[in-house]
Coordinates of all heavy atoms in Angstrom, one line a residue:
N1 N 29.9 45.9 29.8 CA 30.8 46.0 28.7 C 30.5 47.2 27.9 O 30.9 47.4 26.7 CB 30.7 44.8 27.8 CG 29.4 44.5 27.2 OD1 28.4 45.2 27.4 ND2 29.4 43.4 26.4
D2 N 29.7 48.1 28.4 CA 29.4 49.4 27.8 C 28.7 49.3 26.4 O 28.8 50.2 25.6 CB 30.6 50.3 27.7 CG 31.1 50.7 29.1 OD1 30.3 51.0 30.0 OD2 32.3 50.8 29.2
D3 N 27.9 48.3 26.2 CA 27.1 48.2 25.0 C 25.7 48.7 25.2 O 24.9 48.6 24.3 CB 27.1 46.7 24.5 CG 26.3 45.8 25.5 OD1 25.9 46.2 26.5 OD2 26.3 44.6 25.1
E4 N 25.5 49.3 26.3 CA 24.2 49.9 26.7 C 23.0 48.9 26.8 O 21.9 49.2 26.8 CB 23.8 51.0 25.7 CG 24.8 52.2 25.8 CD 24.4 53.4 24.9 OE1 23.2 53.5 24.6 OE2 25.3 54.2 24.6
L5 N 23.4 47.6 27.0 CA 22.4 46.6 27.2 C 22.8 45.9 28.6 O 23.9 45.3 28.7 CB 22.5 45.5 26.1 CG 22.1 45.9 24.7 CD1 22.3 44.8 23.7 CD2 20.6 46.3 24.7
N6 N 21.9 46.1 29.5 CA 22.1 45.5 30.8 C 23.4 45.9 31.5 O 24.1 45.1 32.1 CB 22.0 43.9 30.8 CG 20.7 43.4 30.3 OD1 19.7 44.0 30.7 ND2 20.7 42.4 29.5
D7 N 23.8 47.2 31.3 CA 25.0 47.6 32.0 C 24.8 48.0 33.5 O 25.8 48.1 34.2 CB 25.5 48.9 31.3 CG 26.1 48.6 29.9 OD1 26.5 47.5 29.7 OD2 26.0 49.5 29.0
Y8 N 23.6 48.1 33.9 CA 23.3 48.2 35.3 C 21.9 47.7 35.7 O 21.1 47.4 34.8 CB 23.4 49.7 35.7 CG 22.3 50.6 35.0 CD1 21.2 50.8 35.7 CD2 22.6 51.2 33.8 CE1 20.1 51.6 35.0 CE2 21.6 52.0 33.2 CZ 20.4 52.1 33.8 OH 19.4 52.9 33.2
W9 N 21.7 47.6 37.0 CA 20.4 47.2 37.5 C 19.9 48.2 38.6 O 20.7 48.6 39.4 CB 20.5 45.8 38.1 CG 19.1 45.3 38.6 CD1 18.1 44.8 37.9 CD2 18.6 45.4 40.0 NE1 17.0 44.5 38.7 CE2 17.3 44.9 40.0 CE3 19.1 45.9 41.1 CZ2 16.5 44.8 41.1 CZ3 18.3 45.8 42.3 CH2 17.1 45.2 42.2
Q10 N 18.7 48.6 38.5 CA 18.2 49.6 39.4 C 16.6 49.5 39.5 O 16.0 49.5 38.5 CB 18.6 50.9 38.9 CG 18.1 52.1 39.7 CD 18.6 53.4 39.1 OE1 18.8 53.5 37.9 NE2 18.7 54.4 39.9
P11 N 16.1 49.4 40.7 CA 14.6 49.4 40.8 C 14.1 50.7 40.4 O 14.7 51.7 40.6 CB 14.4 49.2 42.3 CG 15.7 48.6 42.9 CD 16.8 49.1 42.0
V12 N 12.9 50.7 39.8 CA 12.3 52.0 39.4 C 11.1 52.3 40.3 O 10.2 51.4 40.4 CB 11.8 51.9 37.9 CG1 11.1 53.1 37.5 CG2 13.0 51.6 37.0
M13 N 11.2 53.4 41.0 CA 10.2 53.8 42.0 C 9.9 55.3 41.9 O 10.9 56.0 41.5 CB 10.6 53.4 43.4 CG 10.7 52.0 43.6 SD 11.3 51.6 45.3 CE 13.0 51.9 45.2
T14 N 8.7 55.7 42.2 CA 8.4 57.1 42.2 C 7.7 57.5 43.5 O 7.0 56.6 44.1 CB 7.6 57.6 41.0 OG1 6.3 56.8 41.1 CG2 8.2 57.3 39.7
G15 N 7.9 58.6 44.0 CA 7.2 59.2 45.1 C 7.6 58.6 46.4 O 6.9 58.3 47.3
I16 N 9.0 58.4 46.6 CA 9.5 57.8 47.8 C 10.3 58.9 48.6 O 10.8 59.7 48.0 CB 10.4 56.6 47.5 CG1 11.6 56.9 46.7 CG2 9.6 55.4 47.0 CD1 12.6 55.8 46.6
S17 N 10.3 58.8 49.9 CA 10.9 59.7 50.7 C 12.2 59.1 51.3 O 13.2 59.8 51.6 CB 10.1 60.2 51.8 OG 9.7 59.1 52.7
S18 N 12.3 57.8 51.4 CA 13.5 57.1 51.8 C 13.7 55.8 51.2 O 12.6 55.2 50.8 CB 13.5 56.9 53.4 OG 12.5 56.0 53.8
Y19 N 14.9 55.3 51.0 CA 15.2 54.1 50.2 C 16.4 53.5 50.7 O 17.4 54.1 51.1 CB 15.4 54.6 48.8 CG 16.0 53.6 47.8 CD1 15.2 52.8 47.0 CD2 17.4 53.6 47.6 CE1 15.8 51.9 46.1 CE2 18.0 52.8 46.7 CZ 17.2 51.9 45.9 OH 17.7 51.1 45.0
D20 N 16.4 52.1 50.8 CA 17.6 51.4 51.2 C 17.6 50.1 50.4 O 16.6 49.3 50.5 CB 17.5 51.1 52.7 CG 18.8 50.6 53.3 OD1 19.2 49.5 52.9 OD2 19.4 51.3 54.1
I21 N 18.6 49.8 49.7 CA 18.8 48.5 49.0 C 20.0 47.8 49.4 O 21.1 48.4 49.6 CB 18.7 48.7 47.5 CG1 18.7 47.3 46.8 CG2 19.9 49.5 47.0 CD1 18.4 47.4 45.3
T22 N 19.9 46.5 49.6 CA 21.0 45.6 49.8 C 20.9 44.4 48.9 O 19.9 43.8 48.8 CB 21.0 45.1 51.3 OG1 20.9 46.2 52.1 CG2 22.3 44.3 51.6
I23 N 22.0 44.1 48.2 CA 22.1 42.9 47.3 C 23.1 41.9 47.9 O 24.1 42.3 48.4 CB 22.5 43.3 45.9 CG1 21.6 44.4 45.3 CG2 22.6 42.1 45.0 CD1 21.9 44.9 44.0
Y24 N 22.6 40.6 47.8 CA 23.4 39.5 48.4 C 23.7 38.5 47.3 O 22.9 38.3 46.4 CB 22.6 38.8 49.5 CG 22.2 39.7 50.6 CD1 21.0 40.4 50.6 CD2 23.1 39.9 51.7 CE1 20.6 41.2 51.7 CE2 22.7 40.7 52.8 CZ 21.5 41.3 52.8 OH 21.1 42.2 53.8
N25 N 24.9 37.9 47.4 CA 25.2 36.7 46.6 C 24.5 35.5 47.1 O 23.8 35.5 48.1 CB 26.7 36.6 46.4 CG 27.4 36.1 47.6 OD1 26.8 35.7 48.6 ND2 28.7 36.2 47.6
R26 N 24.7 34.4 46.4 CA 24.0 33.1 46.8 C 24.4 32.5 48.1 O 23.7 31.7 48.6 CB 24.0 32.1 45.7 CG 25.4 31.6 45.4 CD 25.4 30.7 44.2 NE 26.3 29.6 44.3 CZ 26.4 28.7 43.4 NH1 25.6 28.7 42.4 NH2 27.3 27.7 43.6
W27 N 25.5 33.0 48.7 CA 26.0 32.6 50.0 C 25.6 33.5 51.1 O 26.0 33.4 52.2 CB 27.5 32.4 49.9 CG 27.9 31.4 49.0 CD1 28.0 30.0 49.2 CD2 28.4 31.5 47.6 NE1 28.4 29.4 48.1 CE2 28.7 30.3 47.1 CE3 28.6 32.7 46.9 CZ2 29.1 30.1 45.8 CZ3 29.1 32.5 45.6 CH2 29.3 31.3 45.1
G28 N 24.8 34.5 50.7 CA 24.3 35.4 51.7 C 25.2 36.6 52.1 O 25.0 37.3 53.0
E29 N 26.3 36.7 51.3 CA 27.2 37.8 51.6 C 26.7 39.1 50.9 O 26.3 39.0 49.7 CB 28.6 37.4 51.0 CG 29.2 36.2 51.6 CD 30.4 35.7 50.8 OE1 30.5 35.9 49.6 OE2 31.3 35.1 51.5
M30 N 26.7 40.2 51.6 CA 26.3 41.5 51.1 C 27.4 41.9 50.0 O 28.6 42.0 50.3 CB 26.2 42.5 52.1 CG 25.8 43.9 51.6 SD 25.6 45.1 52.8 CE 27.2 45.3 53.4
I31 N 26.9 42.2 48.8 CA 27.8 42.7 47.8 C 27.5 44.1 47.3 O 28.3 44.7 46.6 CB 27.8 41.7 46.6 CG1 26.4 41.6 46.0 CG2 28.3 40.3 47.0 CD1 26.4 40.8 44.7
F32 N 26.4 44.6 47.7 CA 26.1 46.0 47.3 C 25.1 46.6 48.3 O 24.2 45.9 48.8 CB 25.5 46.1 45.9 CG 25.1 47.5 45.5 CD1 26.0 48.3 45.0 CD2 23.7 47.9 45.5 CE1 25.6 49.6 44.6 CE2 23.4 49.2 45.1 CZ 24.3 50.0 44.6
H33 N 25.3 47.8 48.7 CA 24.3 48.6 49.6 C 24.3 50.0 49.2 O 25.3 50.6 48.9 CB 24.8 48.4 51.0 CG 23.8 49.1 51.9 ND1 24.1 50.4 52.4 CD2 22.6 48.8 52.4 CE1 23.2 50.8 53.2 NE2 22.2 49.9 53.2
S34 N 23.1 50.6 49.2 CA 22.9 52.0 48.9 C 21.7 52.5 49.5 O 20.7 51.9 49.7 CB 22.9 52.2 47.4 OG 22.7 53.6 47.1
K35 N 21.7 53.8 49.9 CA 20.6 54.6 50.3 C 20.2 55.6 49.3 O 19.3 56.4 49.5 CB 20.8 55.2 51.7 CG 20.9 54.2 52.8 CD 21.1 54.9 54.1 CE 21.3 53.9 55.2 NZ 20.0 53.5 55.8
D36 N 20.8 55.6 48.1 CA 20.6 56.6 47.1 C 19.8 55.9 45.9 O 20.3 55.1 45.2 CB 22.0 57.1 46.5 CG 21.8 58.1 45.4 OD1 20.7 58.5 45.0 OD2 22.8 58.6 44.9
P37 N 18.5 56.3 45.8 CA 17.7 55.7 44.7 C 18.2 56.0 43.3 O 17.8 55.3 42.4 CB 16.3 56.3 44.9 CG 16.6 57.6 45.7 CD 17.8 57.4 46.5
E38 N 19.1 57.0 43.1 CA 19.6 57.2 41.8 C 20.9 56.5 41.5 O 21.4 56.5 40.4 CB 19.9 58.7 41.7 CG 18.7 59.6 41.9 CD 17.6 59.4 40.9 OE1 18.0 59.3 39.7 OE2 16.5 59.4 41.2
L39 N 21.4 55.7 42.5 CA 22.6 55.0 42.3 C 22.3 53.5 41.8 O 21.8 52.7 42.6 CB 23.5 54.9 43.5 CG 24.8 54.2 43.5 CD1 25.8 54.9 42.5 CD2 25.4 54.1 44.9
P40 N 22.6 53.2 40.6 CA 22.4 51.8 40.1 C 23.5 50.9 40.5 O 24.6 51.3 40.8 CB 22.3 51.9 38.6 CG 23.3 53.0 38.3 CD 23.1 54.0 39.5
W41 N 23.2 49.6 40.5 CA 24.2 48.5 40.7 C 24.8 48.2 39.4 O 24.0 47.7 38.5 CB 23.7 47.3 41.4 CG 24.7 46.3 41.7 CD1 26.0 46.5 42.2 CD2 24.6 44.9 41.4 NE1 26.7 45.3 42.3 CE2 25.8 44.3 41.8 CE3 23.6 44.1 40.9 CZ2 26.1 42.9 41.7 CZ3 23.9 42.7 40.8 CH2 25.1 42.1 41.2
T42 N 26.1 48.4 39.2 CA 26.7 48.1 37.9 C 27.3 46.7 37.9 O 28.0 46.4 36.9 CB 27.8 49.1 37.6 OG1 28.8 49.1 38.7 CG2 27.3 50.5 37.5
G43 N 27.1 45.9 38.9 CA 27.6 44.5 38.9 C 29.0 44.5 39.6 O 29.6 43.4 39.7
E44 N 29.5 45.6 40.1 CA 30.8 45.6 40.7 C 30.7 45.0 42.1 O 29.8 45.2 42.8 CB 31.4 47.0 40.8 CG 31.7 47.5 39.4 CD 32.2 49.0 39.6 OE1 32.3 49.6 40.7 OE2 32.6 49.6 38.5
I45 N 31.7 44.2 42.5 CA 31.9 43.7 43.8 C 33.3 43.9 44.4 O 34.1 44.3 43.5 CB 31.5 42.2 43.8 CG1 32.4 41.4 42.9 CG2 30.0 42.0 43.5 CD1 32.2 39.9 43.0
H46 N 33.5 43.6 45.6 CA 34.8 43.8 46.2 C 35.4 45.2 46.0 O 36.5 45.4 45.6 CB 35.8 42.7 45.7 CG 35.4 41.3 45.9 ND1 35.2 40.7 47.1 CD2 35.1 40.3 45.0 CE1 34.8 39.5 47.0 NE2 34.7 39.2 45.7
D47 N 34.5 46.2 46.4 CA 34.9 47.6 46.3 C 35.3 48.0 44.9 O 36.1 48.8 44.7 CB 36.0 47.9 47.3 CG 35.6 47.7 48.7 OD1 34.5 48.1 49.1 OD2 36.5 47.3 49.5
G48 N 34.6 47.3 43.9 CA 34.8 47.7 42.5 C 36.0 47.1 41.8 O 36.3 47.5 40.7
T49 N 36.7 46.2 42.5 CA 37.8 45.5 41.9 C 37.5 44.3 41.0 O 38.3 43.9 40.2 CB 38.8 45.0 42.9 OG1 38.1 44.1 43.8 CG2 39.3 46.2 43.8
H50 N 36.2 43.8 41.1 CA 35.8 42.7 40.3 C 34.3 42.9 39.9 O 33.6 43.7 40.5 CB 35.9 41.4 41.0 CG 37.2 41.0 41.3 ND1 38.0 41.4 42.4 CD2 38.1 40.1 40.7 CE1 39.1 40.9 42.4 NE2 39.3 40.1 41.4
F51 N 33.8 42.2 38.9 CA 32.4 42.1 38.6 C 31.8 40.8 39.0 O 32.5 39.8 38.9 CB 32.2 42.3 37.1 CG 32.4 43.7 36.6 CD1 33.6 44.2 36.1 CD2 31.4 44.7 36.8 CE1 33.7 45.5 35.7 CE2 31.5 46.0 36.4 CZ 32.7 46.4 35.8
A52 N 30.6 40.9 39.4 CA 29.9 39.7 39.9 C 29.7 38.7 38.7 O 29.4 39.2 37.6 CB 28.5 40.0 40.5
P53 N 29.8 37.4 38.9 CA 29.5 36.5 37.7 C 28.1 36.5 37.4 O 27.2 36.8 38.3 CB 30.1 35.2 38.3 CG 30.1 35.3 39.8 CD 30.3 36.8 40.1
N54 N 27.7 36.0 36.3 CA 26.3 35.8 35.9 C 25.7 34.8 37.0 O 26.4 33.9 37.4 CB 26.2 35.2 34.5 CG 26.5 36.2 33.5 OD1 26.5 37.4 33.7 ND2 26.8 35.7 32.3
G55 N 24.5 35.1 37.4 CA 23.9 34.2 38.3 C 22.6 34.9 38.9 O 22.1 35.9 38.4
V56 N 22.2 34.3 40.0 CA 21.0 34.8 40.7 C 21.4 35.5 42.0 O 22.3 35.0 42.7 CB 20.0 33.6 41.1 CG1 18.9 34.0 41.9 CG2 19.6 32.9 39.8
Y57 N 20.9 36.7 42.2 CA 21.2 37.5 43.4 C 19.9 37.9 44.1 O 18.9 38.2 43.5 CB 22.0 38.7 42.9 CG 23.3 38.4 42.4 CD1 23.5 38.0 41.0 CD2 24.4 38.2 43.2 CE1 24.7 37.7 40.5 CE2 25.7 37.8 42.7 CZ 25.8 37.5 41.4 OH 27.0 37.1 40.9
N58 N 20.0 37.8 45.4 CA 18.8 38.2 46.2 C 19.0 39.7 46.6 O 20.1 40.2 46.8 CB 18.8 37.3 47.5 CG 18.5 35.9 47.2 OD1 17.6 35.6 46.5 ND2 19.4 35.0 47.6
Y59 N 17.9 40.4 46.8 CA 18.0 41.8 47.2 C 16.8 42.1 48.2 O 15.8 41.4 48.1 CB 18.0 42.7 46.0 CG 16.8 42.7 45.1 CD1 15.6 43.5 45.4 CD2 16.7 41.8 44.1 CE1 14.5 43.5 44.6 CE2 15.5 41.7 43.3 CZ 14.5 42.6 43.6 OH 13.4 42.5 42.8
I60 N 17.0 43.1 48.9 CA 16.0 43.6 49.8 C 16.0 45.1 49.6 O 17.0 45.8 49.7 CB 16.3 43.3 51.3 CG1 16.4 41.8 51.6 CG2 15.3 44.0 52.2 CD1 16.8 41.4 53.0
V61 N 14.7 45.6 49.3 CA 14.5 47.0 49.1 C 13.6 47.5 50.2 O 12.5 46.9 50.4 CB 14.0 47.4 47.7 CG1 13.6 48.9 47.7 CG2 14.9 47.0 46.7
V62 N 13.9 48.5 51.0 CA 13.0 49.1 51.9 C 12.8 50.5 51.5 O 13.8 51.3 51.3 CB 13.6 49.1 53.4 CG1 12.7 49.8 54.3 CG2 13.9 47.6 53.8
A63 N 11.6 50.9 51.2 CA 11.3 52.2 50.7 C 10.0 52.8 51.5 O 9.1 52.0 51.8 CB 11.0 52.3 49.3
H64 N 10.0 54.1 51.7 CA 8.8 54.7 52.3 C 8.3 55.7 51.4 O 9.1 56.4 50.7 CB 9.2 55.4 53.7 CG 9.5 54.4 54.7 ND1 10.8 54.0 55.0 CD2 8.7 53.7 55.5 CE1 10.8 53.2 56.0 NE2 9.6 52.9 56.3
D65 N 7.0 55.8 51.3 CA 6.4 56.8 50.4 C 6.4 58.2 51.0 O 6.9 58.4 52.1 CB 5.0 56.4 49.9 CG 4.0 56.4 51.1 OD1 4.3 56.9 52.2 OD2 2.9 55.8 50.9
L66 N 5.9 59.2 50.3 CA 5.9 60.6 50.8 C 5.1 60.7 52.1 O 5.2 61.8 52.8 CB 5.4 61.5 49.7 CG 6.3 61.6 48.5 CD1 5.7 62.4 47.4 CD2 7.7 62.0 48.9
L67 N 4.2 59.8 52.4 CA 3.4 59.9 53.7 C 4.2 59.1 54.8 O 3.6 58.8 55.9 CB 2.0 59.3 53.5 CG 1.2 60.1 52.5 CD1 -0.2 59.3 52.3 CD2 0.9 61.5 52.9
N68 N 5.4 58.7 54.5 CA 6.3 57.9 55.4 C 5.6 56.6 55.8 O 5.7 56.2 56.9 CB 6.6 58.7 56.6 CG 7.9 58.2 57.3 OD1 8.7 57.6 56.6 ND2 8.0 58.4 58.5
Q69 N 5.0 55.9 54.8 CA 4.4 54.6 55.1 C 5.2 53.5 54.3 O 5.8 53.7 53.4 CB 2.9 54.6 54.7 CG 2.2 55.6 55.5 CD 0.7 55.7 55.1 OE1 0.2 55.0 54.2 NE2 0.0 56.5 55.8

């Protein structure tokens, strides 16, 4: 709602060389995916036509450090 409180969600990491995040709803459906660590999830789903309802969401983050580990 653009009140600058919880307008987006984004993991905070430093020193990474690659990044991949996927967010799932409670039914296991993928609702967000990105390989850009600067791109936050704003809560949009269905290609930006709706916002996700309040609730619990699962996510998987795969990141490699600068030594590729």
Side-chain angles (χ1 to χ4, degrees):
N1 63 0
D2 294 323
D3 63 359
E4 296 185 22
L5 295 173
N6 299 320
D7 287 334
Y8 64 90
W9 182 82
Q10 179 179 26
V12 176
M13 296 180 277
T14 58
I16 60 169
S17 62
S18 67
Y19 165 92
D20 192 296
I21 186 168
T22 308
I23 300 176
Y24 300 91
N25 65 16
R26 66 189 215 172
W27 296 279
E29 299 168 329
M30 181 179 66
I31 58 172
F32 179 77
H33 178 258
S34 176
K35 292 184 179 272
D36 181 358
E38 300 298 319
L39 180 67
W41 181 46
T42 59
E44 294 178 356
I45 58 174
H46 302 296
D47 296 323
T49 60
H50 293 85
F51 284 98
N54 291 340
V56 176
Y57 294 87
N58 296 305
Y59 62 91
I60 296 173
V61 175
V62 177
H64 292 97
D65 64 15
L66 297 175
L67 299 175
N68 203 27
Q69 298 180 0

